[in-house]
Amino acid sequence: MQDLTSTQPLVSVVIATYNMGQYLSLAIDSILQQTWKNLEVIVVDDGSTDSTEEVMAQYRDNTKVIYIKNENQGQPKAKNCGIKNTKGDFIAFCDADDFWEKNKLELQIPQFANPKVGVVYSEVSFIDEHNNRYTKDDHEVRYSGKVTNQMLIENFVPFGTSVIRRECINQNGIFDEEFRMGIDWDLWLRYSLEWEFVYVPQQTYVYRVWSGQMSNNYRGRYDHANRILKKFVSQHGNKLDHKYVRKAWADMYMREAAVYARNEKQFFKPLKKILHGLALDPGKLYGWKVLVKLFLGRC
């Protein structure tokens, strides 16, 4: 296998940003300060109206930083624009309000010595909007190898930690611009059909948690998750284990029910979804727990 550490192939890093001028330089500098030196940073400004242009002016003479300013078109188009302007053998991502640890690429790129590996991802740590760092004791389960069955049920890859082989894009495409949210889950599902994933347990990515994030939009998140799963199964159903497809839909209905019961204090809509989920996967203990909590008014 090729020694990627000694040859240092080019890594392209895509930052799609919209009105994140206050954090953007931290993200860019964390990439430029990598111990892995052969890299480029493609910053796609999705029509920002804040200080983003002024921030980017300081990188005007840095040949490793490419700045592209577009009209506002949304996250999928901005990320795809960045990908289309990359030159690297490997492509990575950093959200503009997050940043990398210095040894991220040094830890992850050598995993691609196995030609079957298409995606390498890692553990994540956290920071708040005031730059206070902290950890979460989430006990998230991560997977390596052929991960389609597990990915159907849960997107366990923290997006910003991911590095992908260019051949994944050439063979399996870029982000689906039909979707506004959950675009990484759709991408991983497609890639998982042909490529292996590798999990690196070190924390290489620092994720910022703050009040205005899109991830707080649970209605939009579940609407898109339903659409993504439906489209993936309809297009690739002949390649899937349908036991896991049922489990995936069951998990979707149960978790959606819990979120609606907790946030909107609904009863009948969550009840219908829980029962639907349990019909698909009656052995799912989580669904029974949600059902009991729903009747006790404790969701």
Side-chain angles (χ1 to χ4, degrees), residues 211-228:
S211 57
Q213 287 170 303
M214 183 183 291
S215 57
N216 291 323
N217 178 3
Y218 62 87
R219 279 182 170 270
R221 188 168 70 248
Y222 277 104
D223 173 63
H224 279 78
N226 275 272
R227 290 166 54 195
I228 288 168

Side-chain angles (χ1 to χ4, degrees), residues 28 43 47 86 121 282 288:
I28 296 172
V43 179
T86 60
Y121 70 104
W288 293 106

Side-chain angles (χ1 to χ4, degrees), residues 241-256:
D241 183 333
H242 285 271
K243 177 181 71 175
Y244 282 91
V245 172
R246 290 194 301 274
K247 287 179 177 290
W249 279 118
D251 187 79
M252 178 93 69
Y253 295 138
M254 293 171 187
R255 295 191 183 279
E256 189 174 3

Side-chain angles (χ1 to χ4, degrees), residues 48-68:
S48 296
T49 57
D50 65 349
S51 62
T52 294
E53 284 194 73
E54 289 77 11
V55 170
M56 291 307 303
Q58 65 186 297
Y59 301 99
R60 187 176 295 125
D61 298 325
N62 192 321
T63 57
K64 290 187 175 183
V65 180
I66 300 165
Y67 178 46
I68 302 170

Side-chain angles (χ1 to χ4, degrees), residues 244-290:
Y244 282 91
V245 172
R246 290 194 301 274
K247 287 179 177 290
W249 279 118
D251 187 79
M252 178 93 69
Y253 295 138
M254 293 171 187
R255 295 191 183 279
E256 189 174 3
V259 167
Y260 275 87
R262 181 172 62 250
N263 289 284
E264 300 184 10
K265 307 304 178 186
Q266 295 188 36
F267 179 81
F268 289 106
K269 183 176 181 179
L271 177 62
K272 182 179 179 180
K273 288 185 176 294
I274 293 171
L275 294 177
H276 194 176
L278 287 171
L280 290 169
D281 188 5
K284 181 84 169 182
L285 182 59
Y286 174 78
W288 293 106
K289 288 181 177 179
V290 174

